[in-house]
Amino acid sequence: MRLEILRIKAVTATEAKNSFGELLMKAQSGPVSITRNGKEQGMLLFSGENAT
């Protein structure tokens, strides 16, 4: 069994709102945590190519 350590990127809700396209690109390489007032409010994950 192979375990991988994921490095989760974190951005503020304001950064996510202002740079959503860039955030989508970041999510392709790993999960992105979205924070508000220093607390995680959500997580953006890449669903795969052409996922429906």
Side-chain angles (χ1 to χ4, degrees), residues 10-52:
V11 298
T12 66
T14 301
E15 290 171 324
K17 179 183 79 168
N18 292 336
S19 303
F20 192 70
E22 183 180 328
L23 186 63
L24 289 174
M25 297 296 286
K26 285 182 182 180
Q28 290 182 8
S29 63
V32 179
S33 171
I34 301 171
T35 63
R36 179 178 287 149
N37 298 324
K39 297 180 182 177
E40 185 176 73
Q41 299 296 309
M43 182 78 64
L44 184 63
L45 304 171
F46 182 59
S47 63
E49 190 174 339
N50 298 325
T52 55

PDB file of all heavy atoms in Angstrom, residues 10-52:
ATOM      1  N   ALA A  10      -4.285  26.821   0.721  1.00  0.00           N
ATOM      2  CA  ALA A  10      -5.358  27.560   1.379  1.00  0.00           C
ATOM      3  C   ALA A  10      -5.448  28.961   0.800  1.00  0.00           C
ATOM      4  O   ALA A  10      -4.432  29.604   0.549  1.00  0.00           O
ATOM      5  CB  ALA A  10      -5.121  27.627   2.881  1.00  0.00           C
ATOM      6  N   VAL A  11      -6.679  29.415   0.562  1.00  0.00           N
ATOM      7  CA  VAL A  11      -6.929  30.776   0.104  1.00  0.00           C
ATOM      8  C   VAL A  11      -8.093  31.341   0.907  1.00  0.00           C
ATOM      9  O   VAL A  11      -8.931  30.603   1.417  1.00  0.00           O
ATOM     10  CB  VAL A  11      -7.252  30.845  -1.405  1.00  0.00           C
ATOM     11  CG1 VAL A  11      -6.097  30.355  -2.251  1.00  0.00           C
ATOM     12  CG2 VAL A  11      -8.512  30.083  -1.740  1.00  0.00           C
ATOM     13  N   THR A  12      -8.148  32.659   1.002  1.00  0.00           N
ATOM     14  CA  THR A  12      -9.281  33.283   1.681  1.00  0.00           C
ATOM     15  C   THR A  12     -10.489  33.307   0.741  1.00  0.00           C
ATOM     16  O   THR A  12     -10.343  33.172  -0.487  1.00  0.00           O
ATOM     17  CB  THR A  12      -8.953  34.723   2.100  1.00  0.00           C
ATOM     18  OG1 THR A  12      -8.769  35.511   0.920  1.00  0.00           O
ATOM     19  CG2 THR A  12      -7.712  34.778   2.985  1.00  0.00           C
ATOM     20  N   ALA A  13     -11.659  33.490   1.308  1.00  0.00           N
ATOM     21  CA  ALA A  13     -12.874  33.567   0.499  1.00  0.00           C
ATOM     22  C   ALA A  13     -12.792  34.728  -0.486  1.00  0.00           C
ATOM     23  O   ALA A  13     -13.230  34.610  -1.635  1.00  0.00           O
ATOM     24  CB  ALA A  13     -14.098  33.704   1.407  1.00  0.00           C
ATOM     25  N   THR A  14     -12.208  35.824  -0.068  1.00  0.00           N
ATOM     26  CA  THR A  14     -12.048  36.985  -0.956  1.00  0.00           C
ATOM     27  C   THR A  14     -11.133  36.656  -2.119  1.00  0.00           C
ATOM     28  O   THR A  14     -11.431  36.997  -3.275  1.00  0.00           O
ATOM     29  CB  THR A  14     -11.501  38.192  -0.168  1.00  0.00           C
ATOM     30  OG1 THR A  14     -12.417  38.503   0.882  1.00  0.00           O
ATOM     31  CG2 THR A  14     -11.324  39.404  -1.067  1.00  0.00           C
ATOM     32  N   GLU A  15     -10.009  35.984  -1.840  1.00  0.00           N
ATOM     33  CA  GLU A  15      -9.096  35.573  -2.915  1.00  0.00           C
ATOM     34  C   GLU A  15      -9.807  34.619  -3.876  1.00  0.00           C
ATOM     35  O   GLU A  15      -9.635  34.724  -5.098  1.00  0.00           O
ATOM     36  CB  GLU A  15      -7.863  34.885  -2.341  1.00  0.00           C
ATOM     37  CG  GLU A  15      -6.937  35.809  -1.592  1.00  0.00           C
ATOM     38  CD  GLU A  15      -5.836  35.073  -0.853  1.00  0.00           C
ATOM     39  OE1 GLU A  15      -6.074  33.970  -0.321  1.00  0.00           O
ATOM     40  OE2 GLU A  15      -4.718  35.614  -0.814  1.00  0.00           O
ATOM     41  N   ALA A  16     -10.600  33.701  -3.333  1.00  0.00           N
ATOM     42  CA  ALA A  16     -11.332  32.742  -4.171  1.00  0.00           C
ATOM     43  C   ALA A  16     -12.308  33.478  -5.087  1.00  0.00           C
ATOM     44  O   ALA A  16     -12.426  33.167  -6.273  1.00  0.00           O
ATOM     45  CB  ALA A  16     -12.061  31.728  -3.296  1.00  0.00           C
ATOM     46  N   LYS A  17     -13.001  34.463  -4.544  1.00  0.00           N
ATOM     47  CA  LYS A  17     -13.969  35.230  -5.329  1.00  0.00           C
ATOM     48  C   LYS A  17     -13.280  36.024  -6.431  1.00  0.00           C
ATOM     49  O   LYS A  17     -13.744  36.045  -7.569  1.00  0.00           O
ATOM     50  CB  LYS A  17     -14.744  36.173  -4.406  1.00  0.00           C
ATOM     51  CG  LYS A  17     -15.766  37.036  -5.128  1.00  0.00           C
ATOM     52  CD  LYS A  17     -16.448  37.988  -4.180  1.00  0.00           C
ATOM     53  CE  LYS A  17     -15.510  39.145  -3.930  1.00  0.00           C
ATOM     54  NZ  LYS A  17     -16.146  40.276  -3.265  1.00  0.00           N
ATOM     55  N   ASN A  18     -12.163  36.640  -6.098  1.00  0.00           N
ATOM     56  CA  ASN A  18     -11.482  37.521  -7.054  1.00  0.00           C
ATOM     57  C   ASN A  18     -10.645  36.777  -8.089  1.00  0.00           C
ATOM     58  O   ASN A  18     -10.329  37.346  -9.137  1.00  0.00           O
ATOM     59  CB  ASN A  18     -10.595  38.518  -6.307  1.00  0.00           C
ATOM     60  CG  ASN A  18     -11.404  39.513  -5.499  1.00  0.00           C
ATOM     61  OD1 ASN A  18     -12.565  39.762  -5.798  1.00  0.00           O
ATOM     62  ND2 ASN A  18     -10.802  40.052  -4.465  1.00  0.00           N
ATOM     63  N   SER A  19     -10.265  35.538  -7.813  1.00  0.00           N
ATOM     64  CA  SER A  19      -9.386  34.776  -8.725  1.00  0.00           C
ATOM     65  C   SER A  19      -9.890  33.367  -8.929  1.00  0.00           C
ATOM     66  O   SER A  19      -9.135  32.403  -8.843  1.00  0.00           O
ATOM     67  CB  SER A  19      -7.966  34.734  -8.140  1.00  0.00           C
ATOM     68  OG  SER A  19      -7.475  36.017  -7.916  1.00  0.00           O
ATOM     69  N   PHE A  20     -11.182  33.226  -9.214  1.00  0.00           N
ATOM     70  CA  PHE A  20     -11.768  31.892  -9.292  1.00  0.00           C
ATOM     71  C   PHE A  20     -11.150  31.031 -10.391  1.00  0.00           C
ATOM     72  O   PHE A  20     -10.905  29.848 -10.195  1.00  0.00           O
ATOM     73  CB  PHE A  20     -13.285  31.976  -9.476  1.00  0.00           C
ATOM     74  CG  PHE A  20     -13.966  30.656  -9.280  1.00  0.00           C
ATOM     75  CD1 PHE A  20     -14.042  30.082  -8.030  1.00  0.00           C
ATOM     76  CD2 PHE A  20     -14.508  29.983 -10.363  1.00  0.00           C
ATOM     77  CE1 PHE A  20     -14.653  28.850  -7.842  1.00  0.00           C
ATOM     78  CE2 PHE A  20     -15.127  28.756 -10.189  1.00  0.00           C
ATOM     79  CZ  PHE A  20     -15.199  28.192  -8.929  1.00  0.00           C
ATOM     80  N   GLY A  21     -10.863  31.613 -11.541  1.00  0.00           N
ATOM     81  CA  GLY A  21     -10.254  30.850 -12.635  1.00  0.00           C
ATOM     82  C   GLY A  21      -8.900  30.279 -12.236  1.00  0.00           C
ATOM     83  O   GLY A  21      -8.608  29.110 -12.501  1.00  0.00           O
ATOM     84  N   GLU A  22      -8.093  31.091 -11.580  1.00  0.00           N
ATOM     85  CA  GLU A  22      -6.786  30.628 -11.105  1.00  0.00           C
ATOM     86  C   GLU A  22      -6.960  29.547 -10.038  1.00  0.00           C
ATOM     87  O   GLU A  22      -6.216  28.567  -9.996  1.00  0.00           O
ATOM     88  CB  GLU A  22      -6.012  31.809 -10.531  1.00  0.00           C
ATOM     89  CG  GLU A  22      -4.620  31.459 -10.077  1.00  0.00           C
ATOM     90  CD  GLU A  22      -3.881  32.671  -9.514  1.00  0.00           C
ATOM     91  OE1 GLU A  22      -4.124  33.798  -9.984  1.00  0.00           O
ATOM     92  OE2 GLU A  22      -3.061  32.464  -8.610  1.00  0.00           O
ATOM     93  N   LEU A  23      -7.967  29.706  -9.203  1.00  0.00           N
ATOM     94  CA  LEU A  23      -8.253  28.719  -8.156  1.00  0.00           C
ATOM     95  C   LEU A  23      -8.613  27.363  -8.767  1.00  0.00           C
ATOM     96  O   LEU A  23      -8.180  26.314  -8.285  1.00  0.00           O
ATOM     97  CB  LEU A  23      -9.391  29.235  -7.280  1.00  0.00           C
ATOM     98  CG  LEU A  23      -9.748  28.430  -6.060  1.00  0.00           C
ATOM     99  CD1 LEU A  23      -8.592  28.375  -5.080  1.00  0.00           C
ATOM    100  CD2 LEU A  23     -10.980  29.019  -5.391  1.00  0.00           C
ATOM    101  N   LEU A  24      -9.381  27.379  -9.849  1.00  0.00           N
ATOM    102  CA  LEU A  24      -9.725  26.126 -10.533  1.00  0.00           C
ATOM    103  C   LEU A  24      -8.472  25.432 -11.062  1.00  0.00           C
ATOM    104  O   LEU A  24      -8.367  24.210 -11.007  1.00  0.00           O
ATOM    105  CB  LEU A  24     -10.698  26.389 -11.684  1.00  0.00           C
ATOM    106  CG  LEU A  24     -12.112  26.779 -11.289  1.00  0.00           C
ATOM    107  CD1 LEU A  24     -12.921  27.141 -12.528  1.00  0.00           C
ATOM    108  CD2 LEU A  24     -12.790  25.678 -10.502  1.00  0.00           C
ATOM    109  N   MET A  25      -7.532  26.216 -11.567  1.00  0.00           N
ATOM    110  CA  MET A  25      -6.276  25.636 -12.057  1.00  0.00           C
ATOM    111  C   MET A  25      -5.487  25.021 -10.903  1.00  0.00           C
ATOM    112  O   MET A  25      -4.930  23.935 -11.032  1.00  0.00           O
ATOM    113  CB  MET A  25      -5.440  26.696 -12.765  1.00  0.00           C
ATOM    114  CG  MET A  25      -6.102  27.282 -14.007  1.00  0.00           C
ATOM    115  SD  MET A  25      -6.362  26.083 -15.312  1.00  0.00           S
ATOM    116  CE  MET A  25      -4.701  25.907 -15.889  1.00  0.00           C
ATOM    117  N   LYS A  26      -5.427  25.696  -9.760  1.00  0.00           N
ATOM    118  CA  LYS A  26      -4.723  25.172  -8.595  1.00  0.00           C
ATOM    119  C   LYS A  26      -5.339  23.859  -8.130  1.00  0.00           C
ATOM    120  O   LYS A  26      -4.639  22.945  -7.704  1.00  0.00           O
ATOM    121  CB  LYS A  26      -4.760  26.174  -7.439  1.00  0.00           C
ATOM    122  CG  LYS A  26      -3.858  27.349  -7.596  1.00  0.00           C
ATOM    123  CD  LYS A  26      -3.949  28.249  -6.361  1.00  0.00           C
ATOM    124  CE  LYS A  26      -3.089  29.466  -6.518  1.00  0.00           C
ATOM    125  NZ  LYS A  26      -3.160  30.337  -5.339  1.00  0.00           N
ATOM    126  N   ALA A  27      -6.662  23.756  -8.202  1.00  0.00           N
ATOM    127  CA  ALA A  27      -7.360  22.557  -7.732  1.00  0.00           C
ATOM    128  C   ALA A  27      -7.019  21.332  -8.578  1.00  0.00           C
ATOM    129  O   ALA A  27      -7.178  20.198  -8.112  1.00  0.00           O
ATOM    130  CB  ALA A  27      -8.871  22.786  -7.726  1.00  0.00           C
ATOM    131  N   GLN A  28      -6.550  21.535  -9.795  1.00  0.00           N
ATOM    132  CA  GLN A  28      -6.169  20.402 -10.635  1.00  0.00           C
ATOM    133  C   GLN A  28      -4.939  19.682 -10.091  1.00  0.00           C
ATOM    134  O   GLN A  28      -4.749  18.505 -10.367  1.00  0.00           O
ATOM    135  CB  GLN A  28      -5.926  20.855 -12.065  1.00  0.00           C
ATOM    136  CG  GLN A  28      -7.191  21.260 -12.770  1.00  0.00           C
ATOM    137  CD  GLN A  28      -6.954  21.659 -14.212  1.00  0.00           C
ATOM    138  OE1 GLN A  28      -5.871  21.507 -14.751  1.00  0.00           O
ATOM    139  NE2 GLN A  28      -7.987  22.180 -14.841  1.00  0.00           N
ATOM    140  N   SER A  29      -4.132  20.369  -9.299  1.00  0.00           N
ATOM    141  CA  SER A  29      -2.928  19.736  -8.756  1.00  0.00           C
ATOM    142  C   SER A  29      -3.091  19.305  -7.302  1.00  0.00           C
ATOM    143  O   SER A  29      -2.196  18.688  -6.737  1.00  0.00           O
ATOM    144  CB  SER A  29      -1.727  20.674  -8.890  1.00  0.00           C
ATOM    145  OG  SER A  29      -1.935  21.844  -8.133  1.00  0.00           O
ATOM    146  N   GLY A  30      -4.219  19.613  -6.706  1.00  0.00           N
ATOM    147  CA  GLY A  30      -4.465  19.195  -5.333  1.00  0.00           C
ATOM    148  C   GLY A  30      -5.586  19.996  -4.709  1.00  0.00           C
ATOM    149  O   GLY A  30      -6.018  21.014  -5.253  1.00  0.00           O
ATOM    150  N   PRO A  31      -6.092  19.540  -3.572  1.00  0.00           N
ATOM    151  CA  PRO A  31      -7.217  20.223  -2.937  1.00  0.00           C
ATOM    152  C   PRO A  31      -6.850  21.642  -2.486  1.00  0.00           C
ATOM    153  O   PRO A  31      -5.707  21.918  -2.148  1.00  0.00           O
ATOM    154  CB  PRO A  31      -7.543  19.342  -1.728  1.00  0.00           C
ATOM    155  CG  PRO A  31      -6.363  18.463  -1.528  1.00  0.00           C
ATOM    156  CD  PRO A  31      -5.633  18.385  -2.820  1.00  0.00           C
ATOM    157  N   VAL A  32      -7.862  22.519  -2.518  1.00  0.00           N
ATOM    158  CA  VAL A  32      -7.678  23.902  -2.094  1.00  0.00           C
ATOM    159  C   VAL A  32      -8.702  24.209  -1.004  1.00  0.00           C
ATOM    160  O   VAL A  32      -9.904  24.056  -1.215  1.00  0.00           O
ATOM    161  CB  VAL A  32      -7.862  24.889  -3.270  1.00  0.00           C
ATOM    162  CG1 VAL A  32      -7.683  26.320  -2.810  1.00  0.00           C
ATOM    163  CG2 VAL A  32      -6.898  24.568  -4.400  1.00  0.00           C
ATOM    164  N   SER A  33      -8.224  24.620   0.150  1.00  0.00           N
ATOM    165  CA  SER A  33      -9.073  24.992   1.269  1.00  0.00           C
ATOM    166  C   SER A  33      -9.455  26.464   1.137  1.00  0.00           C
ATOM    167  O   SER A  33      -8.620  27.301   0.828  1.00  0.00           O
ATOM    168  CB  SER A  33      -8.312  24.766   2.582  1.00  0.00           C
ATOM    169  OG  SER A  33      -9.030  25.295   3.668  1.00  0.00           O
ATOM    170  N   ILE A  34     -10.734  26.779   1.363  1.00  0.00           N
ATOM    171  CA  ILE A  34     -11.204  28.155   1.317  1.00  0.00           C
ATOM    172  C   ILE A  34     -11.555  28.567   2.744  1.00  0.00           C
ATOM    173  O   ILE A  34     -12.351  27.902   3.409  1.00  0.00           O
ATOM    174  CB  ILE A  34     -12.422  28.301   0.392  1.00  0.00           C
ATOM    175  CG1 ILE A  34     -12.033  27.851  -1.021  1.00  0.00           C
ATOM    176  CG2 ILE A  34     -12.928  29.741   0.387  1.00  0.00           C
ATOM    177  CD1 ILE A  34     -13.188  27.747  -1.983  1.00  0.00           C
ATOM    178  N   THR A  35     -10.924  29.650   3.201  1.00  0.00           N
ATOM    179  CA  THR A  35     -11.100  30.080   4.582  1.00  0.00           C
ATOM    180  C   THR A  35     -11.791  31.432   4.669  1.00  0.00           C
ATOM    181  O   THR A  35     -11.729  32.236   3.749  1.00  0.00           O
ATOM    182  CB  THR A  35      -9.750  30.172   5.316  1.00  0.00           C
ATOM    183  OG1 THR A  35      -8.948  31.162   4.671  1.00  0.00           O
ATOM    184  CG2 THR A  35      -9.012  28.850   5.317  1.00  0.00           C
ATOM    185  N   ARG A  36     -12.455  31.648   5.788  1.00  0.00           N
ATOM    186  CA  ARG A  36     -13.045  32.946   6.107  1.00  0.00           C
ATOM    187  C   ARG A  36     -12.777  33.195   7.578  1.00  0.00           C
ATOM    188  O   ARG A  36     -13.059  32.331   8.408  1.00  0.00           O
ATOM    189  CB  ARG A  36     -14.543  32.954   5.841  1.00  0.00           C
ATOM    190  CG  ARG A  36     -15.169  34.309   6.190  1.00  0.00           C
ATOM    191  CD  ARG A  36     -16.641  34.368   5.892  1.00  0.00           C
ATOM    192  NE  ARG A  36     -16.820  34.441   4.458  1.00  0.00           N
ATOM    193  CZ  ARG A  36     -17.876  33.935   3.817  1.00  0.00           C
ATOM    194  NH1 ARG A  36     -18.815  33.324   4.473  1.00  0.00           N
ATOM    195  NH2 ARG A  36     -17.956  34.032   2.515  1.00  0.00           N
ATOM    196  N   ASN A  37     -12.208  34.330   7.881  1.00  0.00           N
ATOM    197  CA  ASN A  37     -11.847  34.669   9.262  1.00  0.00           C
ATOM    198  C   ASN A  37     -10.962  33.605   9.898  1.00  0.00           C
ATOM    199  O   ASN A  37     -11.102  33.272  11.069  1.00  0.00           O
ATOM    200  CB  ASN A  37     -13.091  34.901  10.116  1.00  0.00           C
ATOM    201  CG  ASN A  37     -13.916  36.067   9.624  1.00  0.00           C
ATOM    202  OD1 ASN A  37     -13.377  37.071   9.161  1.00  0.00           O
ATOM    203  ND2 ASN A  37     -15.225  35.942   9.703  1.00  0.00           N
ATOM    204  N   GLY A  38     -10.069  33.023   9.084  1.00  0.00           N
ATOM    205  CA  GLY A  38      -9.111  32.053   9.587  1.00  0.00           C
ATOM    206  C   GLY A  38      -9.652  30.651   9.796  1.00  0.00           C
ATOM    207  O   GLY A  38      -8.918  29.766  10.229  1.00  0.00           O
ATOM    208  N   LYS A  39     -10.921  30.406   9.469  1.00  0.00           N
ATOM    209  CA  LYS A  39     -11.519  29.081   9.647  1.00  0.00           C
ATOM    210  C   LYS A  39     -11.907  28.501   8.290  1.00  0.00           C
ATOM    211  O   LYS A  39     -12.450  29.208   7.438  1.00  0.00           O
ATOM    212  CB  LYS A  39     -12.769  29.166  10.526  1.00  0.00           C
ATOM    213  CG  LYS A  39     -12.475  29.635  11.927  1.00  0.00           C
ATOM    214  CD  LYS A  39     -13.742  29.686  12.740  1.00  0.00           C
ATOM    215  CE  LYS A  39     -13.439  30.212  14.136  1.00  0.00           C
ATOM    216  NZ  LYS A  39     -14.661  30.338  14.922  1.00  0.00           N
ATOM    217  N   GLU A  40     -11.635  27.216   8.117  1.00  0.00           N
ATOM    218  CA  GLU A  40     -11.981  26.578   6.845  1.00  0.00           C
ATOM    219  C   GLU A  40     -13.495  26.569   6.659  1.00  0.00           C
ATOM    220  O   GLU A  40     -14.231  26.158   7.540  1.00  0.00           O
ATOM    221  CB  GLU A  40     -11.444  25.146   6.809  1.00  0.00           C
ATOM    222  CG  GLU A  40     -11.686  24.490   5.457  1.00  0.00           C
ATOM    223  CD  GLU A  40     -11.089  23.107   5.367  1.00  0.00           C
ATOM    224  OE1 GLU A  40     -11.662  22.191   5.996  1.00  0.00           O
ATOM    225  OE2 GLU A  40     -10.073  22.959   4.696  1.00  0.00           O
ATOM    226  N   GLN A  41     -13.920  27.036   5.492  1.00  0.00           N
ATOM    227  CA  GLN A  41     -15.339  27.095   5.165  1.00  0.00           C
ATOM    228  C   GLN A  41     -15.718  26.137   4.045  1.00  0.00           C
ATOM    229  O   GLN A  41     -16.886  25.822   3.861  1.00  0.00           O
ATOM    230  CB  GLN A  41     -15.733  28.515   4.753  1.00  0.00           C
ATOM    231  CG  GLN A  41     -15.507  29.535   5.838  1.00  0.00           C
ATOM    232  CD  GLN A  41     -16.369  29.286   7.058  1.00  0.00           C
ATOM    233  OE1 GLN A  41     -17.574  29.126   6.951  1.00  0.00           O
ATOM    234  NE2 GLN A  41     -15.740  29.230   8.219  1.00  0.00           N
ATOM    235  N   GLY A  42     -14.717  25.690   3.287  1.00  0.00           N
ATOM    236  CA  GLY A  42     -15.002  24.795   2.183  1.00  0.00           C
ATOM    237  C   GLY A  42     -13.714  24.257   1.586  1.00  0.00           C
ATOM    238  O   GLY A  42     -12.617  24.675   1.954  1.00  0.00           O
ATOM    239  N   MET A  43     -13.870  23.310   0.669  1.00  0.00           N
ATOM    240  CA  MET A  43     -12.736  22.675   0.015  1.00  0.00           C
ATOM    241  C   MET A  43     -13.097  22.502  -1.457  1.00  0.00           C
ATOM    242  O   MET A  43     -14.190  22.061  -1.789  1.00  0.00           O
ATOM    243  CB  MET A  43     -12.482  21.310   0.651  1.00  0.00           C
ATOM    244  CG  MET A  43     -11.300  20.557   0.095  1.00  0.00           C
ATOM    245  SD  MET A  43      -9.710  21.117   0.704  1.00  0.00           S
ATOM    246  CE  MET A  43      -9.810  20.745   2.422  1.00  0.00           C
ATOM    247  N   LEU A  44     -12.164  22.895  -2.320  1.00  0.00           N
ATOM    248  CA  LEU A  44     -12.350  22.731  -3.758  1.00  0.00           C
ATOM    249  C   LEU A  44     -11.497  21.559  -4.206  1.00  0.00           C
ATOM    250  O   LEU A  44     -10.294  21.530  -3.945  1.00  0.00           O
ATOM    251  CB  LEU A  44     -11.951  24.010  -4.495  1.00  0.00           C
ATOM    252  CG  LEU A  44     -12.182  24.040  -5.990  1.00  0.00           C
ATOM    253  CD1 LEU A  44     -13.685  23.921  -6.308  1.00  0.00           C
ATOM    254  CD2 LEU A  44     -11.649  25.327  -6.582  1.00  0.00           C
ATOM    255  N   LEU A  45     -12.134  20.580  -4.867  1.00  0.00           N
ATOM    256  CA  LEU A  45     -11.451  19.390  -5.339  1.00  0.00           C
ATOM    257  C   LEU A  45     -11.637  19.255  -6.832  1.00  0.00           C
ATOM    258  O   LEU A  45     -12.699  19.554  -7.371  1.00  0.00           O
ATOM    259  CB  LEU A  45     -11.997  18.142  -4.654  1.00  0.00           C
ATOM    260  CG  LEU A  45     -11.968  18.127  -3.135  1.00  0.00           C
ATOM    261  CD1 LEU A  45     -12.746  16.927  -2.618  1.00  0.00           C
ATOM    262  CD2 LEU A  45     -10.558  18.116  -2.639  1.00  0.00           C
ATOM    263  N   PHE A  46     -10.631  18.741  -7.508  1.00  0.00           N
ATOM    264  CA  PHE A  46     -10.700  18.479  -8.940  1.00  0.00           C
ATOM    265  C   PHE A  46     -11.452  17.172  -9.159  1.00  0.00           C
ATOM    266  O   PHE A  46     -11.130  16.151  -8.559  1.00  0.00           O
ATOM    267  CB  PHE A  46      -9.287  18.394  -9.516  1.00  0.00           C
ATOM    268  CG  PHE A  46      -9.252  18.182 -10.996  1.00  0.00           C
ATOM    269  CD1 PHE A  46      -9.826  19.073 -11.867  1.00  0.00           C
ATOM    270  CD2 PHE A  46      -8.595  17.080 -11.520  1.00  0.00           C
ATOM    271  CE1 PHE A  46      -9.784  18.886 -13.231  1.00  0.00           C
ATOM    272  CE2 PHE A  46      -8.539  16.878 -12.893  1.00  0.00           C
ATOM    273  CZ  PHE A  46      -9.129  17.777 -13.745  1.00  0.00           C
ATOM    274  N   SER A  47     -12.466  17.190 -10.001  1.00  0.00           N
ATOM    275  CA  SER A  47     -13.297  16.003 -10.204  1.00  0.00           C
ATOM    276  C   SER A  47     -12.815  15.118 -11.346  1.00  0.00           C
ATOM    277  O   SER A  47     -13.348  14.041 -11.560  1.00  0.00           O
ATOM    278  CB  SER A  47     -14.744  16.401 -10.452  1.00  0.00           C
ATOM    279  OG  SER A  47     -14.844  17.148 -11.639  1.00  0.00           O
ATOM    280  N   GLY A  48     -11.830  15.548 -12.094  1.00  0.00           N
ATOM    281  CA  GLY A  48     -11.324  14.752 -13.210  1.00  0.00           C
ATOM    282  C   GLY A  48     -11.691  15.361 -14.538  1.00  0.00           C
ATOM    283  O   GLY A  48     -12.529  16.245 -14.640  1.00  0.00           O
ATOM    284  N   GLU A  49     -11.055  14.860 -15.558  1.00  0.00           N
ATOM    285  CA  GLU A  49     -11.267  15.392 -16.904  1.00  0.00           C
ATOM    286  C   GLU A  49     -12.651  15.018 -17.430  1.00  0.00           C
ATOM    287  O   GLU A  49     -13.058  13.867 -17.381  1.00  0.00           O
ATOM    288  CB  GLU A  49     -10.197  14.828 -17.844  1.00  0.00           C
ATOM    289  CG  GLU A  49     -10.192  15.487 -19.188  1.00  0.00           C
ATOM    290  CD  GLU A  49      -9.044  15.019 -20.044  1.00  0.00           C
ATOM    291  OE1 GLU A  49      -8.059  14.506 -19.492  1.00  0.00           O
ATOM    292  OE2 GLU A  49      -9.138  15.148 -21.265  1.00  0.00           O
ATOM    293  N   ASN A  50     -13.377  16.033 -17.899  1.00  0.00           N
ATOM    294  CA  ASN A  50     -14.703  15.868 -18.491  1.00  0.00           C
ATOM    295  C   ASN A  50     -15.689  15.145 -17.591  1.00  0.00           C
ATOM    296  O   ASN A  50     -16.549  14.412 -18.062  1.00  0.00           O
ATOM    297  CB  ASN A  50     -14.597  15.132 -19.835  1.00  0.00           C
ATOM    298  CG  ASN A  50     -13.787  15.922 -20.826  1.00  0.00           C
ATOM    299  OD1 ASN A  50     -13.818  17.146 -20.851  1.00  0.00           O
ATOM    300  ND2 ASN A  50     -13.006  15.236 -21.643  1.00  0.00           N
ATOM    301  N   ALA A  51     -15.577  15.304 -16.298  1.00  0.00           N
ATOM    302  CA  ALA A  51     -16.515  14.680 -15.368  1.00  0.00           C
ATOM    303  C   ALA A  51     -17.871  15.358 -15.473  1.00  0.00           C
ATOM    304  O   ALA A  51     -17.965  16.551 -15.658  1.00  0.00           O
ATOM    305  CB  ALA A  51     -15.990  14.767 -13.936  1.00  0.00           C
ATOM    306  N   THR A  52     -18.919  14.581 -15.353  1.00  0.00           N
ATOM    307  CA  THR A  52     -20.256  15.156 -15.397  1.00  0.00           C
ATOM    308  C   THR A  52     -21.012  14.821 -14.147  1.00  0.00           C
ATOM    309  O   THR A  52     -20.725  13.900 -13.449  1.00  0.00           O
ATOM    310  CB  THR A  52     -21.068  14.639 -16.603  1.00  0.00           C
ATOM    311  OG1 THR A  52     -21.092  13.222 -16.576  1.00  0.00           O
ATOM    312  CG2 THR A  52     -20.457  15.126 -17.890  1.00  0.00           C
TER     313      THR A  52
END
